[in-house]
Amino acid sequence: MGFRLVGLASLAVSLSFVAAAQDAPAPPQQEPPSAGPGTGAGMGMGQGGGRGWGGGPFMGGRGVGGTVTEVAADHYTIKTLTGDTYTIHYSVNTRILKQSGQRPAEGAMRVPPEQIKPSDIHVGDVIMAAGEVDASAKSVGAMTVVKLDPERVREMREMQDNFGKTWLMGRVTAVNDTKVTLQSPVDNAEHTFMADENTSFRRRREPITLADIEVGANVRVEGAVKEGVFVASSVNLMMPPATGGPAPREGPPPQ
């Protein structure tokens, strides 16, 4: 069965997993990794579908996540929520990692993933593979494969289920009075929310106002649907990293 990553996926959580993977120690024989099979428009930032963790490519089209349906000597087969089947090709240069189930203490550094063997990934596991995506061939030449912790997967599925009900995330495309429209990478769809006198606005810890929310800004919104309208209780302006795009944030929004 497939699964879904917000994109966080795609964007919010998937990036944090792959970022953690990049922080892990490299294998002793590590050489410049071979991308393996798959050539396509997946390598550049901003290219690709960006459709979420399990619904299709994430990280600007440079990775795919899903549930493992087959394990072979040089590849895994995964199925995404949308029913797509991808082949994840790996080699001796691919970093195979397992996400730690241990949560860091508040204020502590995140626990890096541990290196595992390719045979430690089994049918039914949820993995994310970052590398060169060939969307037409439904394949990934993986530079990194991360086996996700089952409890985190459960939490992320729950988080995904609450998208549009208790939280939103995306890039602002229009601001009309107190109505804000955004395009979300979570489901590749447009959403709107309303602000009222009880809505708080912040940039990190700094209080801001609705006037600071401009077209092109990346925001994370918490709130609830009231009479068919998503009313924001808080709006957080997300500061982009040096490479551009919304800053990754692990885990669901605060409740």
Side-chain angles (χ1 to χ4, degrees), residues 18-156:
V18 178
Q22 305 303 333
D23 291 343
Q29 76 277 17
Q30 183 77 8
E31 299 174 359
S34 169
T39 55
M43 285 303 292
M45 287 300 291
Q47 301 177 6
R51 288 170 48 194
W53 76 293
F58 67 92
M59 282 190 69
R62 296 191 301 171
V64 168
T67 302
V68 177
T69 59
E70 178 191 4
V71 176
D74 60 354
H75 71 272
Y76 306 110
T77 302
I78 65 171
K79 188 173 183 179
T80 71
L81 179 69
T82 55
D84 291 329
T85 297
Y86 273 79
T87 302
I88 310 300
H89 299 276
Y90 64 87
S91 70
V92 294
N93 292 319
T94 303
R95 304 172 74 183
I96 311 292
L97 304 165
K98 176 183 178 182
Q99 181 194 18
S100 173
Q102 179 182 352
R103 292 182 179 278
E106 185 175 355
M109 297 290 290
R110 67 185 173 210
V111 180
E114 61 178 289
Q115 189 168 326
I116 59 175
K117 298 178 294 184
S119 58
D120 291 327
I121 292 178
H122 307 101
V123 170
D125 288 338
V126 176
I127 64 173
M128 297 180 73
E132 187 173 357
V133 177
D134 186 334
S136 60
K138 295 289 193 295
S139 69
V140 181
M143 294 191 296
T144 303
V145 175
V146 181
K147 177 180 176 180
L148 303 188
D149 176 67
E151 179 62 19
R152 294 291 183 88
V153 172
R154 184 194 66 76
E155 291 175 354
M156 287 187 293

Side-chain angles (χ1 to χ4, degrees), residues 165-255:
K165 301 174 184 177
T166 63
W167 70 285
L168 291 169
M169 174 186 288
R171 186 179 297 273
V172 175
T173 58
V175 180
N176 297 302
D177 196 17
T178 59
K179 178 182 177 181
V180 180
T181 304
L182 56 83
Q183 181 71 24
S184 178
V186 174
D187 57 0
N188 201 30
E190 191 174 80
H191 297 266
T192 61
F193 68 87
M194 299 292 295
D196 61 19
E197 65 276 8
N198 297 315
T199 305
S200 64
F201 297 87
R202 288 188 176 276
R203 180 191 291 113
R204 294 184 177 173
R205 297 183 179 181
E206 174 191 355
I208 57 175
T209 68
L210 177 59
D212 295 303
I213 306 300
E214 301 177 339
V215 171
N218 294 298
V219 296
R220 188 181 72 254
V221 186
E222 284 97 45
V225 177
K226 300 177 181 179
E227 299 181 352
V229 178
F230 191 101
V231 180
S233 59
S234 65
V235 179
N236 290 278
L237 182 61
M238 300 166 64
M239 302 299 292
T243 54
R249 178 182 184 275
E250 186 174 354
Q255 298 298 318

Side-chain angles (χ1 to χ4, degrees), residues 8 11-17 19 110 238-239 241 245-250:
L8 313 168
L11 202 57
V13 285
S14 59
L15 291 180
S16 65
F17 292 134
R110 67 185 173 210
M238 300 166 64
M239 302 299 292
R249 178 182 184 275
E250 186 174 354

